[in-house]
Amino acid sequence: MQTVKMVVTGPFNAGKTAFIKTVSEIDVVSTERKITKESEKVKDTTTVAMDFGRITIDNDLVLYLFGTPGQRRFDFMWEILSEGMLGFIVMVDSCRPETFREARSILETFRAYAPTPYIVAANKQDRKEAWDLEDMRIALRLDSTVKLLPCVATDKESVKNILLELLYQILQEMENGAA
Amino acid sequence: MALKGNLRDFSLSQLLNLIHLAKKSGTLFLEDSRVKAWLSFREGKLAYGKYGDEDNSLAAILYNARKLNANQFRALKERGNSMNDKELGLLLVNAGYVSQQEVLASLQEYLTTLVHRLYSWVEGTFYFDSEKMPPQDRINLRIGLDNLIIEGTRRLKEVEQLQDEIPSLDIALKFREQPDTDVRNLRLSKEEWRVVSFINPKNSLKQIAQALKMNDIEIRRVAYGLVQAGVVEMVRPEMTTPRPIIPGIPNATRQEQVSLVKRIIQRIRSL
Ligand SMILES: Nc1nc2c(ncn2[C@@H]2O[C@H](COP(=O)(O)OP(=O)(O)O)[C@@H](O)[C@H]2O)c(=O)[nH]1
Ligand SMILES: [Mg+2]
């Protein structure tokens, strides 16, 4: 049995858990991890919740979806995430411009760690306060080569579309022969 | 649809950057606990602005700019609303009280100062209404936002914001293919021009800072201003950009990887 992973990241409340829930065949498990770095002992112990979903592809292949907060200090998670990672999705709440800056810095961090294909999902596009995609592209400072797609994380077709677009991009990069 | 939020989280620079690059028309309403202000734009250029109850009539602006004396100002005010600003401007120019140049320069100075005052707001809400155009009966200007943005970054006091905007000095700058600004029209300091002269996708900000003996905050500030003004964009330095590694599927040939991804695509489609 082979396993591959995709990572869903983004600021708090962007819709990562909802996204994974929508397509996962198991209940999304949130794992709590305690950080016990010496340097952080003074402060309260920080916990990180990681969502975990699964899609069985066929008899010998499983796709895992990991939802992870984007904070820079949770570096240790990379050991868990980077191996076998196909690509990642950065979720952004289209209604909360105050999170755009964080989303951008998460994107930069992830790109630095894992130069794999990625896609940016402008989530909550069903809400009327949602920003237009063109405005978000500028505010998030994504150049025209970065895929930015509308998303409604609670809607299955929308989530499928995001996953497929990412997969097409992965396929394309493989076929371009970056091996 | 909506552009709405709090300035603490989405700053005036960021808003002006967006309006500038998307060439937006409409009115930006700003409000803090004490005062309301608004700025109107046409195709990404600042046309008009108002700050609280402040008298922003042409007569008042010219008076404050010492283009009209107190008697003239009083006389105009006593006439009341019989004439709008455009008509008044025309009258004053035709009567030789002021030149057209002076009218435009005074208005421009007023608007520029207004924007600088707004830059000092740390708190406050904003709302952009793309339906509300600059008022017809007032003289509308066409002030490019690039220089206003750069000036705003020069004054930025929240250094953490610079850190957030440019987390790493390992990035490089590159001139935008279709800049929204004519670089020759930029009003830059000597220091800023020196940075401009080093812009190249091969030079990281760290290297530029070293070459120019600038500290981290200084280089970030200049870089941020240029990015916000739409002159340059941030890129990974050319030499170090890793080619996208294809997904960590260990021990798989390219063909196996492709087939694996195709299987996943099939499956997702059928969900
Ligand atoms: N209207 C709407 N609400 C959403 C959408 N995605 C998530 N939400 C809601 O946004 C909130 C945060 O979502 P959650 O998945 O917990 O965010 P997380 O912190 O990134 O895991 C929840 O109340 C979700 O129900 C969406 O596409 N549209
Ligand atoms: Mg969650």
Side-chain angles (χ1 to χ4, degrees), chain B residues 15 22 25 47 49 52 69 72 90 109 114 120 133 150 159 245:
Chain B
L15 282 166
S25 300
N69 64 36
Q72 291 167 323
L90 207 57
E109 177 62 27
L114 199 167
S120 67
M133 287 298 139
I150 291 177
V159 181
I245 296 171

Side-chain angles (χ1 to χ4, degrees), chain B residues 86-271:
Chain B
K86 279 185 181 166
E87 293 161 346
L88 176 65
L90 207 57
L91 179 97
L92 292 174
V93 171
N94 286 339
Y97 285 110
V98 286
S99 68
Q100 183 176 332
Q101 198 72 43
E102 286 173 318
V103 171
L104 294 178
S106 304
L107 287 169
Q108 166 144 3
E109 177 62 27
Y110 177 78
L111 279 185
T112 309
T113 311
L114 199 167
V115 172
H116 292 157
R117 279 149 81 197
L118 294 174
Y119 263 118
S120 67
W121 290 17
V122 224
E123 286 283 336
T125 56
F126 67 81
Y127 169 64
F128 187 83
D129 184 348
S130 53
E131 305 288 307
K132 188 152 173 71
M133 287 298 139
Q136 289 286 325
D137 56 343
R138 311 302 291 274
I139 297 172
N140 289 183
L141 300 186
R142 290 178 51 78
I143 304 179
L145 299 184
D146 33 28
N147 284 310
L148 286 176
I149 292 168
I150 291 177
E151 178 58 29
T153 351
R154 285 186 197 120
R155 290 163 184 242
L156 185 76
K157 288 197 197 69
E158 294 73 36
V159 181
E160 313 85 63
Q161 193 176 321
L162 292 172
Q163 175 78 39
D164 286 350
E165 290 288 346
I166 304 180
S168 159
L169 292 182
D170 290 327
I171 57 130
L173 299 177
K174 156 176 176 287
F175 286 103
R176 290 167 60 105
E177 309 261 309
Q178 287 143 336
D180 299 275
T181 290
D182 185 344
V183 178
R184 284 164 305 182
N185 293 338
L186 282 179
R187 289 191 300 273
L188 299 181
S189 69
K190 208 161 91 190
E191 198 78 313
E192 288 161 344
W193 279 120
R194 289 170 72 206
V195 173
V196 168
S197 72
F198 274 88
I199 290 177
N200 181 315
K202 291 194 174 75
N203 296 340
S204 72
L205 288 181
K206 199 186 278 167
Q207 290 167 326
I208 298 180
Q210 268 161 9
L212 298 178
K213 299 193 171 49
M214 295 171 89
N215 69 31
D216 286 10
I217 294 172
E218 289 162 346
I219 186 75
R220 277 196 167 85
R221 193 184 287 278
V222 176
Y224 182 51
L226 294 170
V227 169
Q228 289 288 59
V231 182
V232 298
E233 57 195 351
M234 295 191 262
V235 292
R236 311 196 144 267
E238 252 168 27
M239 307 312 275
T240 64
T241 307
R243 276 195 63 85
I245 296 171
I246 281 299
I249 309 167
N251 313 319
T253 64
R254 166 119 44 92
Q255 265 164 343
E256 285 165 345
Q257 295 187 350
V258 167
S259 115
L260 181 140
V261 172
K262 285 184 174 161
R263 271 151 72 198
I264 302 176
I265 290 176
Q266 284 295 321
R267 174 73 181 109
I268 304 273
R269 280 192 186 136
S270 72
L271 280 179

Side-chain angles (χ1 to χ4, degrees), chain A residues 11-19 51 123-127 151-154:
Chain A
F12 175 70
N13 218 39
K16 302 178 290 293
T17 305
F19 184 95
D51 301 320
N123 195 33
K124 308 195 189 181
Q125 282 288 322
D126 55 321
R127 298 185 51 184
C151 178
V152 178
T154 46

